[in-house]
């Protein structure tokens, strides 16, 4: 008997972090006092005329280029009609027949390629607030520029969807066109899902709308997969419908008041001319694409000889990767910089946005100086760790920290003086060592480390001591 297989495609809405909205000068920012960031244009007052924000078009084109799409010099805004209280003018300005970008792909870490059908520009709607039995409307989000990224039906599991969204989020953040904060709704997903038996024709699909958390998406897909499987195995049909995922129960429910796509009555937006993005501007945008996460991952592993697991953590935020490269540049052992960053430095970030900003009290330049001292053996590893901790807590420089704590590194002369003194003060241990008891060296070494209060480099110290003792014997 053939197994049931899931087929899914994704429509992802990404809010662009332009300074102003898509068709007016109202600021784009999350939250704020309700209905303070809107005007006649973004609330759809009759007679108000939209003006296209060029920055939003450039951002959308960058997304398309990063995903290997064709960016079309000419695209067109269209009206999509539907009635819902969060959309005052009863139509959304979007792109329909002529989207800005078509035909790209995204490579999952597993090596699987997810096809991108299209990316189009559209405006966001307002937000409904449920308060004490009544529904209030906040139009601050209305008119915020979005891109909708539509994939081919290439997903076969919820895990693949999770991988895709993580990569997409990373790419958008590297491009600096969106913060992609799911909890603030700047990345939201609709999942189209159908089930069929392998080798048999495709099933009827349903669409689960508007989810903004990885875990909800996984739960919703798992629930919907089971629901459709159970219908099919009972010989019942799957009805094509739009569903809402209920976070409380973990079930999907049909959405009420939902119209079929045929009723949107798309037509070209008469208040806006076609969107024109000249070829040379597209080329200029292509030139200014940053190094993308997958390329950077590969380079960090190669150039700094990092294990892939470490490099993956570093590239997760562009600022973290930048910090690492500044600190690690020119070191013999760049892994030390990765360890400092992934260990003590990450530990002092309270949340994801602090990690994303990556501005610890110890700058990358100061960490670099500290690690150079360590490599030159002017600092022991425990000393370097304690200095870094102090720097992270106080924001002091390396010089200030080592000075203030009287942790100034030992000069080679000081170290050799300490070693000579220890040898003079431990005649019994010296005797033992010279009689062949290698272990006796440990006692003398310990004396030097104590005397230096940890400032001596143990390896260097051992080398010096052996040198002294072996010569003394002759
Ligand atoms: Zn406005
Ligand atoms: Mn949309």
């Amino acid at each position: 008997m053939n197994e049931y297989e899931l087929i899914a495609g994704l429509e992802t809405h990404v809010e662009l972090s332009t300074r102003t909205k898509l068709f007016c000068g109202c600021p784009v920012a999350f939250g704020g006092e309700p209905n303070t960031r809107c005007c006649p244009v973004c609330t759809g007052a009759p007679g108000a005329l939209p003006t296209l924000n060029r920055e939003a078009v450039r951002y959308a084109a960058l997304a398309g280029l990063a995903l290997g799409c064709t960016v079309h010099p000419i695209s067109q805004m269209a009206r999509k009609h539907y009635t819902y209280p969060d959309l005052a003018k009863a139509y959304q300005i979007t792109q329909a027949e002529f989207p800005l970008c078509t035909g790209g792909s995204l490579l999952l870490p597993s090596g699987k390629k997810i096809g991108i059908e299209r990316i189009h520009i559209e405006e966001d709607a307002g937000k409904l607030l449920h308060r004490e039995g009544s529904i209030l409307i906040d139009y601050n989000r209305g008119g915020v520029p979005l891109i909708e990224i539509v994939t081919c039906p290439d997903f076969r599991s919820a895990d693949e969807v999770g991988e895709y969204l993580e990569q997409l989020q990373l790419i958008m953040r590297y491009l600096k066109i969106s913060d992609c904060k799911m909890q603030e709704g700047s990345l939201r997903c609709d999942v189209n899902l159908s089930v069929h038996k392998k080798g048999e024709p495709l099933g009827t699909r349903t669409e689960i709308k508007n989810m903004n958390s990885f875990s909800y998406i996984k739960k919703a897909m798992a629930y919907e997969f089971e629901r459709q499987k159970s219908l099919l195995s009972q010989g019942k049909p799957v009805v094509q419908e739009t569903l809402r995922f209920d976070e409380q129960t973990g079930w999907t429910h049909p959405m009420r008041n939902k119209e079929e796509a045929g009723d949107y009555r798309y037509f070209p937006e008469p208040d806006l001319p076609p969107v024109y993005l000249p070829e040379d501007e597209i080329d200029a945008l292509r030139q200014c694409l940053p190094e993308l996460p997958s390329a950077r991952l590969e380079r960090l592993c190669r150039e700094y000889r990092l294990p892939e697991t470490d490099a993956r953590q570093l590239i997760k935020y562009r600022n973290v990767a930048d910090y690492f490269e500044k600190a690690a540049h020119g070191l013999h052992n760049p892994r030390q910089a990765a360890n400092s960053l992934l260990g003590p430095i990450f530990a002092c970030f309270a949340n994801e946005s602090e990690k994303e900003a990556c501005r610890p009290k110890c700058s990358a330049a100061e960490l670099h100086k500290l690690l150079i001292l360590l490599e030159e053996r002017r600092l022991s590893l425990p000393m370097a760790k304690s200095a870094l901790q102090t720097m992270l807590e106080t924001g002091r420089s390396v010089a200030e920290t080592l000075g203030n704590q009287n942790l100034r590194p030992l000069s080679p002369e000081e170290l050799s003086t300490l070693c000579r003194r220890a040898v003079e003060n431990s005649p019994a241990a010296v005797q033992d060592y010279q009689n062949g008891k290698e272990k006796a060296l440990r006692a003398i070494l310990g004396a030097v480390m104590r005397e230096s209060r940890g400032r001596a480099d143990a390896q260097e110290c051992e080398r010096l001591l052996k040198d002294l003792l072996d010569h003394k014997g002759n």
Side-chain angles (χ1 to χ4, degrees):
M1 172 144 157
N2 279 341
E3 269 177 55
Y4 283 111
E5 181 181 49
L6 163 164
I7 294 200
L10 225 62
E11 290 167 22
T12 309
H13 288 94
V14 173
E15 263 182 19
L16 300 179
S17 46
T18 48
R19 217 168 34 77
T20 56
K21 290 186 180 179
L22 189 50
F23 301 118
C24 62
C26 293
V28 169
F30 177 72
E33 189 65 25
N35 300 309
T36 54
R37 294 177 185 142
C38 39
C39 71
V41 174
C42 53
T43 52
L49 289 172
T51 317
L52 183 64
N53 180 348
R54 299 293 306 176
E55 195 67 7
V57 180
R58 281 189 285 268
Y59 279 23
L62 279 174
L65 291 169
L67 294 172
C69 296
T70 306
V71 178
H72 301 281
I74 292 176
S75 60
Q76 189 176 50
M77 304 310 297
R79 287 190 184 183
K80 176 182 181 179
H81 297 82
Y82 66 91
T83 316
Y84 205 67
D86 62 5
L87 186 71
K89 57 184 186 288
Y91 59 84
Q92 179 193 29
I93 304 181
T94 177
Q95 295 191 310
E97 207 180 334
F98 303 103
L100 180 71
C101 316
T102 53
S105 66
L106 185 151
L107 204 59
L108 300 183
S110 65
K112 178 167 177 173
K113 204 185 233 184
I114 301 296
I116 306 285
E117 198 179 291
R118 57 184 278 157
I119 301 176
H120 62 255
I121 307 170
E122 62 186 27
E123 59 178 335
D124 209 344
K127 234 191 260 183
L128 299 187
L129 308 167
H130 299 260
R131 292 274 158 80
E132 296 155 13
S134 45
I135 299 175
L136 306 170
I137 308 172
D138 176 8
Y139 287 111
N140 282 351
R141 203 180 64 181
V144 166
L146 294 176
I147 47 176
E148 182 175 332
I149 304 165
V150 182
T151 74
C152 303
D154 288 345
F155 299 101
R156 295 294 175 270
S157 72
D159 285 338
E160 284 180 0
V161 169
E163 269 184 58
Y164 166 85
L165 286 173
E166 248 173 65
Q167 290 304 307
L168 190 69
Q169 200 176 35
L170 203 52
I171 294 170
M172 297 298 124
R173 285 180 178 160
Y174 266 58
L175 296 174
K176 298 198 166 164
I177 61 173
S178 172
D179 57 19
C180 283
K181 288 186 183 158
M182 295 192 91
Q183 68 280 12
E184 292 184 4
S186 50
L187 190 154
R188 312 193 293 270
C189 285
D190 304 340
V191 180
N192 288 296
L193 193 154
S194 73
V195 172
H196 72 142
K197 276 190 179 166
K198 279 183 184 164
E200 290 180 13
L202 299 188
T204 305
R205 65 174 200 195
T206 57
E207 182 176 14
I208 317 166
K209 279 278 195 196
N210 225 2
M211 291 176 286
N212 67 344
S213 111
F214 287 131
S215 72
Y216 290 159
I217 293 167
K218 285 194 175 181
K219 281 182 198 159
M221 288 182 70
Y223 177 82
E224 189 56 16
F225 185 33
E226 290 306 320
R227 191 184 71 86
Q228 292 190 21
K229 262 197 303 195
S230 114
L231 283 173
L232 295 174
S233 59
Q234 295 170 57
K236 292 180 184 163
V238 172
V239 178
Q240 182 174 354
E241 59 190 345
T242 307
L243 306 169
R244 185 177 56 87
F245 176 64
D246 186 326
E247 293 150 14
Q248 307 299 323
T249 60
W251 299 353
T252 57
H253 300 287
M255 276 177 120
R256 280 156 298 179
N257 313 322
K258 265 295 160 184
E259 355 50 52
E260 291 308 306
D263 294 334
Y264 285 141
R265 292 187 299 114
Y266 283 106
F267 63 72
E269 168 58 52
D271 289 337
L272 288 164
V275 180
Y276 180 50
L277 191 61
E279 289 282 6
D280 55 351
E281 213 178 320
I282 298 173
D283 284 338
L285 287 170
R286 192 178 280 118
Q287 294 310 314
C288 72
L289 276 180
E291 182 184 31
L292 293 171
S294 52
R296 195 166 198 181
L297 176 72
E298 189 269 321
R299 186 173 59 77
L300 289 191
C301 291
R302 179 168 41 81
E303 218 167 89
Y304 298 95
R305 303 181 309 280
L306 293 181
E308 195 184 315
T309 44
D310 287 1
R312 271 202 193 282
Q313 290 199 64
L314 293 174
I315 61 141
K316 243 184 128 179
Y317 294 109
R318 186 172 162 181
N319 290 333
V320 169
D322 287 348
Y323 184 104
F324 165 75
E325 291 207 71
K326 258 182 235 154
H329 184 76
L331 293 183
H332 292 295
N333 183 11
R335 226 180 140 173
Q336 205 62 257
N339 292 344
S340 308
L341 193 50
L342 299 175
I345 298 180
F346 267 22
C348 60
F349 296 140
N351 50 43
E352 287 294 298
S353 42
E354 280 189 31
K355 211 186 256 187
E356 187 176 2
C358 196
R359 276 191 289 268
K361 283 191 177 169
C362 163
S363 71
E366 288 298 316
L367 177 62
H368 180 76
K369 280 186 208 163
L370 184 71
L371 295 178
I372 289 280
L373 288 179
L374 184 65
E375 290 199 338
E376 289 175 347
R377 297 258 170 96
R378 292 167 62 197
L379 210 53
S380 66
L381 187 60
M383 222 177 121
K385 282 184 175 166
S386 122
L388 177 58
Q389 208 52 50
T390 308
M391 289 160 70
L392 286 169
E393 281 159 20
T394 62
R396 291 195 200 113
S397 67
V398 177
E400 284 169 334
T401 306
L402 296 179
N404 283 356
Q405 285 192 346
N406 197 17
L407 283 176
R408 187 180 51 76
L410 288 184
S411 66
E413 293 75 36
E414 285 171 313
L415 182 61
S416 100
T417 307
L418 278 185
C419 288
R420 235 174 283 129
R421 205 187 300 152
V423 168
E424 278 161 23
N425 291 342
S426 332
V430 170
Q431 193 67 54
D432 284 349
Y433 177 77
Q434 280 167 343
N435 288 338
K437 276 190 182 173
E438 286 262 350
K439 274 187 188 165
L441 193 69
R442 294 272 128 211
I444 312 172
L445 185 67
V448 178
M449 295 308 285
R450 267 196 307 283
E451 191 65 22
S452 76
R453 279 167 293 147
R455 287 188 290 153
D457 179 283
Q459 254 177 304
E460 180 64 9
C461 186
E462 189 175 335
R463 197 186 60 76
L464 270 175
L465 284 174
K466 277 189 179 160
D467 217 39
L468 277 171
L469 292 175
D470 293 347
H471 282 103
K472 212 177 174 185
N474 300 333

